[in-house]
Amino acid sequence: MLAQFLQYLFSGITIGATYALAALGFTMIYNASTVINFAQGEFIMLGGMLAVMFQQAGFPLPLAVLLAIIVPSLVGVLMEKTVVEPVRSADTVNIIIITIGASLVIRGVVQVVFGKGAFMLPSFSGDTPVEIGGAMIMPQSFWVIGVSALVVVGLWYFFTRTLTGKAMLATSFNRTAAELVGINTSWVLWMSFAMSAAVGALGGVLVTPLTMTSYDSGIMLGLKGFVAAVVGGLGSGAGALVGGLLVGVLEAMGAGYLSSSYKDALPFVLILLILFFLPRGLFGSRQTERV
């Protein structure tokens, strides 16, 4: 029983780390602009698909991974400049609809280029499982968990110890005041889109050796990342991390002990409960904490 529990727990933590990266992407853009970017899932999908494409084209795996992160970052900047910035003064609902439209465009382009098939990326450290307490863990899971932890620490350092990060935080607290002290808030916005896309793409690269990827794989990953962000408290970096892990573990436990048929439904049941009892999420509102 313990081995089975640990198996489900490690599986939940692994996929939860990916949800946490997606939630951090939502958080960064929301903090900078109050925009909820529903194209975040497509950045996750792009990371995985591009890593496969570059690897199959003969690039060394480290270079393929690097390019698979850089290209979605550029797509994020392009999206902000061409889609979001021209309608920045529009209502929040309208901007959300626009980001959904952008996600459909990205998904359609990827479907035309890559087709509808599923693709696999080689594991970074082989496929020999590691036994922990009777549970078998794939080496790639350690990459997902470890790199996600490093990203969280890196973002904390960036936003609390660097001038650029503090400028982004200042913009998130009061955009007008930030502009009055000379901060280029337009630059902050496209920077937040670039970083959000990079973090999402990194999550897609890390999880693809475990789950495979396809043109529509970003839909559920993005939605569950949004659930994680809301559960933790939209705008809270710590909340994104805790929410991602919570959603991942709940999903794995539900699939293991109940039925895999409920796997995708459980995160949305969780968000309903959280919004009913804790409307601001586990870690409060965006005014109380940042990434």
Side-chain angles (χ1 to χ4, degrees):
M1 292 295 292
L2 178 60
Q4 186 181 51
F5 172 79
L6 289 176
Q7 190 73 60
Y8 298 149
L9 179 63
F10 289 139
S11 176
I13 292 174
T14 300
I15 192 64
T18 305
Y19 296 157
L21 291 179
L24 284 170
F26 279 105
T27 295
M28 281 188 284
I29 292 179
Y30 180 77
N31 276 346
S33 63
T34 70
V35 171
I36 299 175
N37 177 28
F38 277 103
Q40 185 63 27
E42 310 315 320
F43 296 142
I44 300 174
M45 176 270 294
L46 271 178
M49 294 291 281
L50 290 172
V52 172
M53 182 193 76
F54 289 127
Q55 192 267 335
Q56 291 180 347
F59 289 85
L61 186 58
L63 180 58
V65 169
L66 180 61
L67 291 174
I69 296 172
I70 292 175
V71 173
S73 300
L74 298 177
V75 173
V77 173
L78 180 64
M79 174 181 167
E80 191 279 326
K81 285 297 183 183
T82 60
V83 177
V84 176
E85 186 172 319
V87 295
R88 193 165 57 190
S89 60
D91 294 338
T92 301
V93 174
N94 291 334
I95 297 179
I96 289 175
I97 294 173
I98 289 170
T99 64
I100 294 174
S103 74
L104 293 174
V105 171
I106 294 173
R107 195 181 314 147
V109 171
V110 172
Q111 180 182 352
V112 171
V113 175
F114 294 98
K116 296 183 178 181
F119 300 89
M120 174 66 80
L121 189 67
S123 298
F124 297 173
S125 302
D127 296 313
T128 304
V130 178
E131 183 177 352
I132 300 178
M136 306 303 291
I137 314 299
M138 298 300 294
Q140 188 66 26
S141 296
F142 296 106
W143 278 96
V144 176
I145 297 169
V147 173
S148 298
L150 289 175
V151 168
V152 171
V153 173
L155 287 175
W156 171 83
Y157 182 85
F158 174 77
F159 283 105
T160 60
R161 296 292 186 270
T162 69
L163 187 60
T164 302
K166 291 179 179 179
M168 295 180 72
L169 285 181
T171 302
S172 70
F173 277 104
N174 191 317
R175 182 169 185 159
T176 302
E179 290 176 343
L180 289 175
V181 297
I183 296 175
N184 187 341
T185 56
S186 295
W187 174 86
V188 166
L189 187 57
W190 72 253
M191 186 71 176
S192 69
F193 267 84
M195 292 177 61
S196 172
V199 169
L202 177 61
V205 170
L206 292 172
V207 79
T208 296
L210 294 172
T211 63
M212 305 184 69
T213 188
S214 62
Y215 79 98
D216 59 351
S217 62
I219 300 174
M220 290 307 298
L221 287 171
L223 287 176
K224 291 175 184 177
F226 176 68
V227 169
V230 173
V231 166
L234 192 58
S236 167
L241 176 62
V242 173
L245 295 177
L246 183 60
V247 170
V249 171
L250 176 67
E251 181 180 296
M253 294 296 177
Y257 288 113
L258 297 176
S259 169
S260 59
S261 301
Y262 303 122
K263 179 173 70 73
D264 291 331
L266 288 174
F268 299 101
V269 173
L270 175 63
I271 193 176
L272 290 176
L273 293 174
I274 290 293
L275 290 176
F276 185 77
F277 293 104
L278 295 168
R280 294 184 177 181
L282 297 176
F283 285 78
S285 66
R286 69 186 289 268
Q287 282 78 18
T288 59
E289 185 171 347
R290 294 297 182 270
V291 173

